[in-house]
């Protein structure tokens, strides 16, 4: 399988602060890969190094066959980059923004006409082509930013928290578009996010915290990392139930999910004893059922460790 991104022992320091700490990463052609982590974990710094916008402190990497240190200028012709902050010109129309980026990418007149039409149709913005961008809903702006990053037909797409602040329906439409690009053009996408549902749409995921990658794998592989038996528990009163569960020696971890809990039981834990102990503490059990761990369970467990 062809590799489009390779990273080995990549590190970035700002003075004494280590933003990215000795990471290793391989992403294949036409793969949608997610970097999942909290704010400040180092996700954006990784993207900027791979795009040639920041020089690594140490380590090395290759993007589309280009060395991220020696060939950073060449990388830019092979990639599309979309930052978490809307980067287009809001006082221009949709079409004027596309024209501007066609100029930046030095497209010929023929290419410009073809790519402009493709962009408007792909982003479903044809009827808004003459509208000022500032007047568009945020989801429309994000679709416009995405197609502008694709005008020069890059083989790799870097998306840095692309749907931050976008409503769920627009986020779904955005992701549908990413997968259409993958199928049609074999585009590789590296996406940073802190949304669990968004990470679940990636084919593989790396969990990152404090500049370090903790684990990498598919959604199912990451869930298999949890060896405990996980139960969904609803009980009242809420705070008394939470403290009672945390006090049980057979429970390794209790995570709150809305008005319920995910409790991680040791393999040898006696479920009936736990129920009995809860009732002794005047906790009313409303629901107590085994569940498959969610990605959020994995994420929070890894972050706690």
């Amino acid at each position: 399988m062809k590799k489009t991104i390779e990273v080995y022992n990549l590190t970035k320091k700002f003075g004494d602060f280590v933003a990215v700490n000795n990471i290793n990463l391989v992403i294949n052609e036409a793969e949608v890969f997610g970097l999942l982590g909290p704010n400040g974990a180092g996700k954006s710094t990784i993207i900027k190094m791979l795009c040639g916008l920041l020089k690594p402190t140490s380590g090395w990497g290759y993007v589309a066959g280009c060395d991220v240190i020696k060939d950073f200028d060449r990388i830019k012709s092979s990639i599309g980059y979309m930052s978490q902050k809307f980067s287009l010109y809001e006082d221009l129309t949709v079409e004027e923004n596309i024209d501007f980026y066609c100029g930046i990418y030095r497209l010929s007149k023929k290419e410009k006409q073809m790519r402009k039409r493709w962009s408007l149709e792909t982003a479903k913005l044809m009827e808004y082509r003459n509208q000022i961008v500032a007047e568009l809903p945020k989801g429309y702006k994000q679709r416009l930013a995405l197609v502008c990053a694709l005008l020069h037909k890059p083989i790799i797409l870097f998306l840095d928290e692309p749907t931050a602040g976008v409503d769920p329906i627009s986020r779904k439409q955005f992701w549908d578009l990413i997968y259409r690009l993958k199928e049609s053009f074999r585009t590789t996408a590296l996406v940073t996010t802190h949304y669990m549902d968004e990470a679940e749409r990636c084919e593989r995921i790396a969990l990152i915290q404090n500049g370090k990658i903790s684990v990498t794998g598919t959604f199912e592989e990451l869930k298999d990392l949890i060896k405990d038996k996980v139960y969904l528990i609803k009980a009242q009163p809420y705070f008394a139930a939470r403290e009672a569960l945390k006090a049980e020696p057979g429970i390794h971890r209790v995570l709150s999910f809305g008005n319920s809990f995910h409790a991680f039981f040791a393999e040898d834990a006696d479920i009936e004893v736990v129920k009995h102990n809860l009732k002794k503490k005047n906790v009313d059990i409303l629901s107590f059922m085994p569940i498959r761990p969610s990605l959020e369970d994995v994420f929070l467990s890894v972050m706690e460790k």
Side-chain angles (χ1 to χ4, degrees), residues 1-5 26-31 64 155 186 188:
M1 190 173 291
K2 185 178 179 181
K3 302 170 184 176
T4 54
I5 298 174
V26 174
I27 301 174
N28 300 311
E29 181 184 29
E31 184 174 26
I155 59 174
R186 296 193 60 74
T188 302

Side-chain angles (χ1 to χ4, degrees), residues 290-303:
I291 58 170
R292 179 92 166 110
S294 67
L295 181 58
E296 190 164 357
D297 289 325
V298 178
F299 177 75
L300 293 174
S301 297
V302 169
M303 294 304 108

Side-chain angles (χ1 to χ4, degrees), residues 66 80 87 111 136 165 184 228 287:
C66 299
S87 57
E111 286 178 316
L136 292 174
S184 299
D228 292 336
S287 178

